[in-house]
Amino acid sequence: MTYLRRLSLYYAKKFREIRRLAAMSKVPELFGSMVFNDSAMRDKLPSNIYKSLKMTIENGTPLDLDVANVVANAMKDWAIEKGATHYTHWFQPMTGITAEKHDSFISPRDGRVIMEFSGKELIKGEPDASSFPNGGLRATFEARGYTAWDPTSYAFIKDSTLYIPTAFCSYSGEVLDKKTPLLRSMEAINRQALRILRLFGNHEAMRVNVTVGPEQEYFLIDKEAFLKRKDLIFTGRTLFGSKPPKGQELEDHYFGAIKPRISAFMRELDEELWKLGVLAKTEHNEVAPAQHELAPVFSTTNIATDHNQLTMELMKKLADKHGMACLLHEKPFAGVNGSGKHNNWSLSTDKGENLLNPGKTPEENAQFLLFLCAVIKAVDEHQDLLRISVASAGNDHRLGANEAPPAIISIFLGDELTEILECIESGNKYNKKKAKKLEIGVDCLPQLSADTTDRNRTSPFAFTGNKFEFRMLGSAFSISCTNVMINTTVAEALDQFATELEKAEDFTDALNKLIKRTIKEHKRIIFNGNNYSEEWVIEAEKRGLLNLKSTAEALPLYATEKNIRMFEKYRIYTSAEVHSRQEILLENYCKTLNIEALTMIEMSNRDILPAVTAYLADLSQTAAQKKKISPDLTVELEEKLIQKLSLLQLSLYHRTEALSTALLGAKETDDAATQATYFRNRVFPAMQELRAVADELETIVGRKYWPFPTYGDLLFSIYPSN
Ligand code: ADP
Ligand code: MG
C-alpha cells in the first residue's frame, strides 16, 4: 500500500469517527424528529386545537371534523417540510404484518396542483379489504373496509410518506385487524383497574395504562447465501441442512464482541428507529451464532405494538442495505436456538405508579398483592388463550424444545414471593427466624431481593421484580394478540375482585379473605422449578394444567363458550369475530405447512436429486477410467460410495413421493381444524423423514456438488458477514 493511500485511509477513518461523534451528540435532536409528537403538535397547532386533540388522545373524547381539518392541515405542512409527498393509513390486518396504501397530497386546482390533506382523509380511509384475511366474516362483494385514525399513536414520516396509524374494520363494523381489539382491551383493563384503585382510596389516578417492552431476537446472515436457498426465500427457515461441526456449544457468541459489519447495521438501525421515536435501547449478540437481540424501553401497549412492527420492518430493510438478510422466523435453523420475543408487561397509573411494584407500606403491599393475584387467577383460568396467542407453525418448533419455555403455561414468582403467598394462604408464620405472621393491609412485606426474581429463564410467565415477562412469543409475532389476551383476562379478574370488594362491609377483612382464596384456588399455576424437565410435564399433568403441544391442538380451543362469553362481556370480540380469528389462524397454519412441503418437494426433485446424480456420474466415470488404466486398480471406494449414495438417493425419491401423496390427502379434509390436525399428523412427519435422508446425503456428497450453502456457510464462514 502506498504512503498516500495509507494516509487517505487514515483520514477517511478519522472523518467517519468525527461524523459518528457529531451524530451521537445530536441524538436528542434526532430522537422523534420524524414523529408528529406532542412537541410537534404544540408547535404547529393553535392552542385550542391542541387542547382538544390532547383530550382525544388522553381521554378518548371524539374529535370533531373542524378540529380534524386543522390538525390534518398542520400535519401535512409539517410533513411537507420534512420532505413528504404522500400519506398513508397504516394498519395491521390479520396477516401479522402491517399494510399501507399510499396517496399523494396533490390535488388539481386550475390546471396546477396544490398539496392538500383534509380532516376526513386523516380520520378515515377506505382501502379495498377483499384481499385481507377475514375468516369468513365478509363476502367479497362487501369488499369495503375502513381504516380509522388512532390518535393515541403518533403519525410519523418514513420513506417520504406520512404514516397515520389506524384501526381497520369492515363495512358493517366487524374488526379486521389486530389494533382494534388491543385498544378495546386497554380500555377494559383501565376501567377495572381504576375500580380497584378507588377501593384503596386512590382518587387521583385518572387512567391505568398497560406498559409493554418487547425484547426482539433475530438472525443476520449474508444476503448472497440467503438468495441461494429457496427454503429461506419462500418460508423464512431452512427445510434442509445437517448440523455443522461447530454449533453453539462453546457459547462463545452470547454477549460476545459485535463484529464491525453487524455493529454498523445496529448503529444505523438505532438511528432510524430513534428518528421514528422508537426507544431502541440495548443491542447484543444472542446464544446462537449469527443471532442478536434488540430491547426497547417500554411504552404503552399500542405504541409498543406499533413500534415493534416498525422495528421488525426496519431490521429487514436495513439488513438488506448492509448486504445481509434478517431472519425473523422462530426457528430458521434446526439444532440451533430459535428466536423469541419477550413481552414484558405491567400496569401503571397516569401518575406514574407501577401497580406491580411491591411498594414499601402495608397499603401499597396489599394493593400489589391484589394485582398480583389478579394476574395469577387470569393466567390460570385462561391458559388456553395465552397458549393460543403464541401458536403458529413456526413457534411449534420452539415451544417445549429445550430452548424456549414449554407449551405448558405456568408462573414463576421466585421462592421468596411464593413463600409469602403460602404463609398468607395457610396463616402460618413467615420466615422462621423472625416468626412473623403477615397480615395484609397491616404488615409490611419483607423486601424482596431483586435478583431472586429473575433467575429462572425456563419459565413461560415470570415475575421479574415489578413486571411480568411472557416468554413464549415467537420472534415473528405481532405482540398484539398476546396483549389482548393478558389485558382482557386480567380485566376480568379485576372486575370480579372489585365487584366482591365493593360490596364488603369490612374492606380489609374481605381483602384478606379474597387474597387467601385466590391463592388457594390458583396456586397450581405457580411453578419455580425447571420448566424444561420431564418431571415438570408429569407434575403439570397431575395439577391439571393444559399441555397443548402444537398449534393444531391449541387453536380449536379459541372459540369455546367460556372464551366467547368473556370477549363479548368486555366488548373485545363478538362471537363471529372470535370464530373468524380462529379460522384465519388455522388456515394460516395449514398454508404455512403446505408452502413448506411444496418447497421441500421442489428442492428435493430439482436440486438435491440432480446433485446426487451428478456426483454418482462422476464416481462411476472415475471407476470406469481407473479400470481402463489397469484392471488391477481398486475401485472399492467408488463402488461402496455408489452403493450407499444410490440407496440414499432412492430413499430420497420415495420420501419425496410420500410427501406429495400426503399433501394430496390434505385436500380431502373439509374443515380447517381437521385439516390442521391432518397437516400436523401426516404432512409434518413426512417432511421430517424427507429431511433426514437429505441431511445424511449432505454429509457425504462432495462439497462442489451440493446445490446450496450449508449451515456452516450460513452461520459461520465463507460469507463476509460472520
Ligand atoms: P433486563 O431484562 O436486561 O434485566 P429489564 O428487566 O430492565 O432488563 O428490561 C427488559 C425489558 O422490560 C425492557 O424492554 C424494558 O423496557 C421492559 N420493562 C421494564 N420495566 C417495565 C415495565 N414496568 N413495564 C413493561 N416493560 C418494562
Ligand atoms: Mg428480559
Side-chain angles (χ1 to χ4, degrees):
M1 207 188 290
T2 65
Y3 172 70
L4 270 180
R5 171 108 182 102
R6 269 209 311 272
L7 199 67
S8 75
L9 279 179
Y10 172 80
Y11 278 111
K13 194 173 153 211
K14 276 274 162 231
F15 181 65
R16 274 202 305 271
E17 183 69 6
I18 290 166
R19 254 207 345 218
R20 194 176 70 79
L21 289 173
M24 290 287 282
S25 65
K26 283 204 194 119
V27 170
E29 276 166 57
L30 198 70
F31 188 82
S33 57
M34 292 307 208
V35 185
F36 196 68
N37 53 18
D38 194 61
S39 79
M41 286 176 192
R42 211 189 286 263
D43 214 30
K44 302 283 176 194
L45 296 173
S47 72
N48 60 329
I49 301 285
Y50 169 78
K51 273 191 206 127
S52 29
L53 181 57
K54 204 72 184 147
M55 288 281 284
T56 303
I57 294 173
E58 281 166 10
N59 309 328
T61 40
L63 200 65
D64 68 50
L65 197 59
D66 293 339
V67 176
N69 276 326
V70 181
V71 175
N73 200 44
M75 228 187 232
K76 176 209 68 185
D77 288 343
W78 169 85
I80 290 172
E81 250 172 54
K82 303 256 177 200
T85 49
H86 289 67
Y87 70 91
T88 179
H89 276 203
W90 184 63
F91 55 104
Q92 300 172 16
M94 292 300 296
T95 52
I97 49 175
T98 56
E100 48 199 73
K101 175 186 160 229
H102 295 208
D103 280 298
S104 71
F105 288 124
I106 63 165
S107 169
R109 185 75 48 93
D110 308 328
R112 300 186 17 248
V113 292
I114 55 161
M115 303 294 256
E116 233 177 21
F117 185 47
S118 69
K120 221 174 117 239
E121 285 166 316
L122 167 65
I123 292 176
K124 194 165 156 189
E126 229 177 295
D128 180 357
S130 58
S131 300
F132 291 108
N134 64 72
L137 265 186
R138 193 172 21 79
T140 342
F141 59 84
E142 286 172 17
R144 261 183 301 177
Y146 288 111
T147 49
W149 182 31
D150 165 20
T152 60
S153 179
Y154 298 133
F156 56 92
I157 297 172
K158 190 166 71 71
D159 306 326
S160 310
T161 303
L162 172 68
Y163 279 72
I164 299 153
T166 57
F168 181 46
C169 62
S170 77
Y171 179 61
S172 40
E174 284 129 345
V175 179
L176 296 174
D177 72 345
K178 291 178 179 260
K179 174 167 249 185
T180 315
L182 184 65
L183 293 171
R184 290 176 178 173
S185 73
M186 288 162 66
E187 249 339 282
I189 200 166
N190 166 51
R191 223 173 312 126
Q192 304 307 333
L194 281 177
R195 280 174 73 196
I196 299 284
L197 290 184
R198 300 291 181 256
L199 283 165
F200 280 92
N202 179 338
H203 295 278
E204 289 79 54
M206 298 313 287
R207 199 177 162 83
V208 172
N209 287 312
V210 184
T211 51
V212 166
E215 299 164 77
Q216 174 77 44
E217 290 180 342
Y218 61 100
F219 278 89
L220 286 175
I221 60 166
D222 193 82
K223 187 156 97 184
E224 223 181 289
F226 171 87
L227 290 173
K228 290 191 175 125
R229 296 214 41 149
K230 283 181 207 151
D231 47 5
L232 285 176
I233 294 173
F234 292 139
T235 73
R237 75 177 179 106
T238 53
L239 300 167
F240 296 104
S242 69
K243 223 172 153 325
K246 181 181 189 257
Q248 63 195 47
E249 55 278 85
L250 294 179
E251 298 184 339
D252 50 357
H253 189 255
Y254 192 47
F255 278 61
I258 300 174
K259 302 206 166 72
R261 192 175 175 196
I262 307 288
S263 103
F265 160 84
M266 285 179 174
R267 188 169 308 146
E268 192 169 347
L269 177 63
D270 278 346
E271 276 173 21
E272 290 306 311
L273 288 171
W274 290 339
K275 282 188 206 163
L276 298 177
V278 179
L279 289 153
K281 176 87 175 155
T282 47
E283 305 250 16
H284 64 79
N285 286 353
E286 260 300 326
V287 178
Q291 193 183 31
H292 312 279
E293 183 187 292
L294 180 146
V297 176
F298 64 92
S299 47
T300 55
T301 336
N302 67 324
I303 291 173
T305 307
D306 286 358
H307 283 181
N308 184 248
Q309 295 290 345
L310 279 174
T311 303
M312 292 193 286
E313 189 187 318
L314 278 175
M315 278 176 170
K316 293 217 156 225
K317 193 170 125 187
L318 291 175
D320 190 65
K321 186 176 162 197
H322 287 250
M324 298 184 283
C326 170
L327 307 180
L328 288 174
H329 193 282
E330 291 81 3
K331 190 75 179 174
F333 307 100
V336 173
N337 265 12
S339 301
K341 180 141 46 191
H342 291 175
N343 191 79
N344 293 274
W345 183 96
S346 191
L347 291 170
S348 98
T349 68
D350 54 348
K351 301 288 178 284
E353 184 189 359
N354 179 350
L355 300 176
L356 288 175
N357 195 340
K360 289 204 169 69
T361 64
E363 300 78 56
E364 283 171 351
N365 290 166
Q367 185 184 299
F368 159 73
L369 285 170
L370 191 64
F371 279 102
L372 183 75
C373 281
V375 177
I376 294 172
K377 174 177 155 78
V379 173
D380 185 32
E381 285 179 351
H382 299 285
Q383 298 159 45
D384 54 347
L385 289 177
L386 284 175
R387 173 67 184 91
I388 285 162
S389 81
V390 296
S392 78
N395 218 16
D396 277 358
H397 298 286
R398 287 177 67 244
L399 298 180
N402 271 353
E403 59 174 86
I408 306 163
I409 309 268
S410 66
I411 293 182
F412 168 86
L413 289 181
D415 294 337
E416 278 175 309
L417 193 51
T418 307
E419 200 190 331
I420 290 169
L421 294 193
E422 276 165 3
C423 291
I424 291 172
E425 186 213 339
S426 61
N428 287 341
K429 296 189 165 105
Y430 175 74
N431 191 337
K432 313 282 174 305
K433 271 176 267 158
K434 292 195 194 120
K436 196 163 171 344
K437 216 173 127 176
L438 280 173
E439 231 170 287
I440 298 160
V442 181
D443 292 325
C444 246
L445 290 185
Q447 196 80 78
L448 299 175
S449 42
D451 56 345
T452 57
T453 58
D454 201 17
R455 283 283 157 77
N456 189 334
R457 311 300 296 173
T458 68
S459 174
F461 208 99
F463 182 68
T464 51
N466 60 7
K467 63 184 188 297
F468 275 99
E469 183 167 345
F470 184 42
R471 303 198 178 112
M472 284 169 79
L473 282 92
S475 47
F477 276 69
S478 155
I479 61 170
S480 167
C481 186
T482 278
N483 287 298
V484 169
M485 301 308 189
I486 306 178
N487 297 349
T488 313
T489 56
V490 175
E492 181 191 51
L494 292 173
D495 181 8
Q496 290 170 10
F497 287 178
T499 307
E500 185 171 331
L501 293 174
E502 278 161 1
K503 285 190 210 128
E505 278 171 17
D506 181 340
F507 176 70
T508 313
D509 184 50
L511 181 67
N512 267 286
K513 286 195 180 123
L514 174 61
I515 289 180
K516 274 188 196 181
R517 199 183 69 229
T518 310
I519 299 169
K520 196 185 193 71
E521 282 170 6
H522 300 290
K523 64 182 174 193
R524 65 170 187 167
I525 198 77
I526 299 165
F527 178 65
N528 295 328
N530 178 7
N531 289 254
Y532 293 175
S533 69
E534 274 307 309
E535 295 86 72
W536 170 232
V537 178
I538 298 161
E539 165 71 18
E541 197 182 336
K542 271 194 218 139
R543 295 190 188 187
L545 300 181
L546 286 175
N547 184 3
L548 302 165
K549 292 196 192 77
S550 73
T551 299
E553 286 158 83
L555 288 179
L557 298 185
Y558 203 160
T560 57
E561 228 183 276
K562 171 182 156 205
N563 290 339
I564 290 175
R565 212 180 314 124
M566 177 185 70
F567 286 127
E568 290 199 321
K569 175 158 189 205
Y570 298 98
R571 301 205 179 90
I572 311 294
Y573 299 123
T574 62
S575 167
E577 285 165 356
V578 176
H579 279 103
S580 93
R581 256 146 232 262
Q582 183 182 43
E583 190 82 5
I584 291 170
L585 291 170
L586 282 165
E587 275 173 10
N588 193 284
Y589 174 77
C590 297
K591 283 178 190 162
T592 305
L593 284 180
N594 191 45
I595 294 170
E596 289 184 349
L598 288 173
T599 307
M600 286 188 95
I601 294 168
E602 165 154 341
M603 286 172 84
S604 172
N605 281 335
R606 301 187 58 197
D607 299 326
I608 305 176
L609 280 170
V612 183
T613 306
Y615 187 39
L616 274 170
D618 278 3
L619 282 170
S620 315
Q621 223 175 10
T622 311
Q625 274 167 351
K626 272 189 179 174
K627 282 284 168 209
K628 238 194 235 163
I629 294 167
S630 156
D632 297 335
L633 274 177
T634 173
V635 289
E636 196 185 334
L637 170 73
E638 287 79 3
E639 279 174 5
K640 280 198 166 136
L641 265 176
I642 288 170
Q643 176 67 10
K644 193 169 176 186
L645 284 164
S646 301
L647 286 174
L648 285 171
Q649 192 188 28
L650 185 63
S651 164
L652 187 76
Y653 172 77
H654 283 315
R655 291 181 188 194
T656 310
E657 290 292 294
L659 180 55
S660 302
T661 314
L663 266 191
L664 283 179
K667 296 210 169 71
E668 257 125 68
T669 51
D670 35 37
D671 65 287
T674 327
Q675 194 172 64
T677 311
Y678 180 90
F679 266 102
R680 174 74 194 171
N681 296 339
R682 294 291 312 282
V683 178
F684 187 64
M687 287 164 62
Q688 280 174 309
E689 287 189 4
L690 174 56
R691 177 179 185 144
V693 62
D695 288 359
E696 196 178 339
L697 275 164
E698 186 194 305
T699 62
I700 51 172
V701 169
R703 177 176 187 96
K704 70 168 189 179
Y705 298 88
W706 201 249
F708 36 76
T710 62
Y711 272 26
D713 301 336
L714 292 169
L715 291 169
F716 291 100
S717 62
I718 57 167
Y719 295 92
S721 66
N722 292 301

